[in-house]
Amino acid sequence: MPDAPDQANHPGTSRSTSATIQPNILRYLAVVAEEYRVDLRPLLTGVGLDEDVMRSAELRVSYRQGSAVIRRAVELTGTEHLGLRVGAAQHLTSWGLLGLALMAGDTLRDAVETGVRFQNLSGAMVVWSAEAEDTGYVVRADLPDPALDPAVADFLVQEAFSSVVTLTRLAVGAEFAPRSVDFAFAAPRDARLFQELFRCPVRFAADRNRLVIPRGWAGRAMPGRDPVTYAAVLELLEAEMASRRDQQELLEVLEVSIAQSLPAVPSFVEQARRHASSERTLRRRLAECGTTYEAVVDGVRRERVEHLLRRPALTLREVARQVGFSDVRALRRAVHRWHGVAPLQLRGDLREREP
C-alpha cells in the first residue's frame, strides 16, 4: 500500500497552499451545481480560477483552493448528497492518461492498484489505499487532515466512493455493486440515495471509510485490456510523477522558507539566491507549477493568519504584526479577500470547527 503524502514538518506551512491538484472535482462540481441553479463561476474566479484558467490542461489547484470552493458549494446547494452526485457525473476520460491506463489494465484489481499508485495525478483530494482482506478487495479513502471542515470532509469521501463505483460500472459492467460500503461520518437525514447508488449495505459512523469489492469482481478482466498500451502509458505516468515531485519539492521549500522568515518576507531575488537559481529560472519553474511567488507568499500568510486567529489571547494587531502586515486594516482586507468575512468572525468560525 502506498503511504500517505508527506506533510512539511514546519509550523505555518503545509501542502494545502501548493497548487498541485488537477481540478477534476471542481470541474464536475461546477456542472452539478448548475442543476441546483447555483453558479460557481464567481466563486471560482474569486480564488483565481476563471473560465479560461479552468479550461487549461496544465491547471493545478491547491488543496486550500479546492476546499474553499467545495465548502461554499455545499452551503449554496443545501444538499447533503452533493459529493455523491459529483462522483456519479464523472467519466474515465476526465482522468486523462491515468483513465486510459485504468482501462488498459488486465483486471479490475490492476486498475484499482494503478489508480492508487498514481493517485497524485488523478486530482484526488483523499488518500487512497487498497489491499486484499478476508471480506474481499478493500479500498480505503482517508482524509489528509483529520481537522478538515466536516462539510468538506463528507463531500470528499462521498465523491471518492461514488466516482469509484461509477467508473467501475462504465469500464467493467453496469451490474457492478460493492459487497459493502462504510463511511466514517454520521448518517445523513436521508440515506436513500446512498442505497440507490451503491446497491449494497451501507454503514455510517464506521471506524474508517471502506469500500469492499467482491473477489469475483476484483479478478474480472477489463474489457479494454491491452498490455502494450498499458506499459506505454505507465512510462508516461512515471515521467509525470517525477516532474510533479520536483514541482512539489520546490513549492514546499519556498513555503517553509517564507514561513520561517515571517513577519519578514524574503524577496524574490533573495529566494533565487537561496536556491542557487536565476530569477528567470525560478519564475519559469513556478509558472510550470501553475503559480507565482506572490501567490505562494499569500498562501503561507493565509495559513499563518488562520493558525494565529485560533489563539484568543492574540489581538488583531499582534496577528497582523506576526504575519508581516503593515497594520490591522491590511489584515482585514486580506481576510475579507480570502474568506469574505472580518477577522473576528473568522476567528469565531475557526474555533467552532475545532474538534
Side-chain angles (χ1 to χ4, degrees):
M1 284 190 305
D3 295 328
D6 296 332
Q7 297 290 333
N9 297 316
H10 300 272
T13 184
S14 78
R15 284 190 169 185
S16 64
T17 61
S18 302
T20 56
I21 301 172
Q22 287 189 337
N24 299 342
I25 294 176
L26 299 188
R27 288 194 177 110
Y28 281 95
L29 175 59
V31 172
V32 172
E34 289 183 358
E35 299 174 8
Y36 293 89
R37 298 184 179 180
V38 172
D39 184 0
L40 291 185
R41 286 176 296 182
L43 179 60
L44 290 165
T45 300
V47 295
L49 302 173
D50 60 33
E51 290 187 70
D52 290 338
V53 172
M54 286 291 285
R55 283 195 290 267
S56 170
E58 300 302 317
L59 174 63
R60 299 292 182 268
V61 301
S62 70
Y63 205 93
R64 184 182 298 286
Q65 284 175 306
S67 298
V69 173
I70 291 168
R71 181 183 302 110
R72 186 63 178 143
V74 171
E75 294 173 355
L76 292 172
T77 59
T79 174
E80 57 187 352
H81 303 122
L82 189 59
L84 291 183
R85 296 190 183 280
V86 171
Q90 297 179 39
H91 196 280
L92 279 163
T93 53
S94 69
W95 290 27
L97 282 176
L98 180 55
L100 178 58
L102 301 185
M103 292 186 285
D106 190 39
T107 66
L108 177 58
R109 175 170 176 165
D110 291 328
V112 171
E113 291 179 348
T114 302
V116 170
R117 177 180 171 187
F118 296 104
Q119 59 185 290
N120 289 338
L121 301 180
S122 70
M125 293 179 70
V126 297
V127 181
W128 290 104
S129 59
E131 65 180 352
E133 295 184 5
D134 293 341
T135 55
Y137 192 65
V138 179
V139 181
R140 288 186 288 269
D142 294 312
L143 297 171
D145 182 355
L148 194 65
D149 182 283
V152 176
D154 292 359
F155 171 95
L156 291 179
V157 179
Q158 286 185 30
E159 185 278 334
F161 284 162
S162 176
S163 62
V164 165
V165 170
T166 297
L167 298 181
T168 299
R169 287 172 180 160
L170 289 172
V172 185
E175 68 277 17
F176 169 77
R179 179 181 297 278
S180 63
V181 179
D182 290 353
F183 290 103
F185 55 79
R189 292 183 298 274
D190 185 354
R192 286 177 297 177
L193 189 59
F194 287 82
Q195 298 293 341
E196 292 171 6
L197 175 66
F198 295 111
R199 306 176 202 160
C200 70
V202 178
R203 186 174 61 150
F204 299 96
D207 293 337
R208 293 186 72 177
N209 302 300
R210 293 162 37 101
L211 183 148
V212 182
I213 299 175
R215 287 195 187 88
W217 276 104
R220 183 76 62 96
M222 298 293 288
R225 63 190 182 280
D226 186 309
V228 176
T229 298
Y230 183 68
V233 176
L234 286 191
E235 285 188 19
L236 295 174
L237 292 174
E238 289 285 6
E240 188 174 350
M241 281 283 286
S243 174
R244 187 71 59 82
R245 281 192 291 270
D246 290 342
Q247 294 176 3
Q248 186 67 64
E249 288 172 3
L250 170 65
L251 292 172
E252 288 183 350
V253 167
L254 287 175
E255 289 173 354
V256 169
S257 175
I258 295 163
Q260 290 180 332
S261 299
L262 289 178
V265 175
S267 69
F268 188 75
V269 174
E270 173 63 15
Q271 290 288 17
R273 187 192 63 77
R274 290 183 184 183
H275 297 94
S277 169
S278 69
E279 294 176 55
R280 182 177 179 180
T281 298
L282 182 56
R283 202 176 301 281
R284 174 183 56 78
R285 291 185 66 194
L286 285 170
E288 291 171 352
C289 297
T291 190
T292 64
Y293 183 60
E294 293 74 20
V296 176
V297 171
D298 195 55
V300 173
R301 274 179 158 166
R302 174 175 176 168
E303 187 159 298
R304 180 65 64 83
V305 165
E306 293 171 1
H307 174 74
L308 294 175
L309 285 176
R310 288 184 169 92
R311 297 163 59 182
L314 289 179
T315 65
L316 294 185
R317 185 183 300 276
E318 181 63 16
V319 172
R321 188 197 67 76
Q322 290 195 33
V323 181
F325 287 122
S326 57
D327 52 33
V328 173
R329 286 178 298 177
L331 172 66
R332 289 197 182 101
R333 287 195 296 270
V335 171
H336 191 272
R337 175 165 54 85
W338 296 327
H339 294 278
V341 299
L344 290 179
Q345 182 177 338
L346 177 61
R347 168 172 273 169
D349 292 344
L350 292 171
R351 295 185 67 188
E352 285 181 5
R353 293 174 194 163
E354 290 181 348

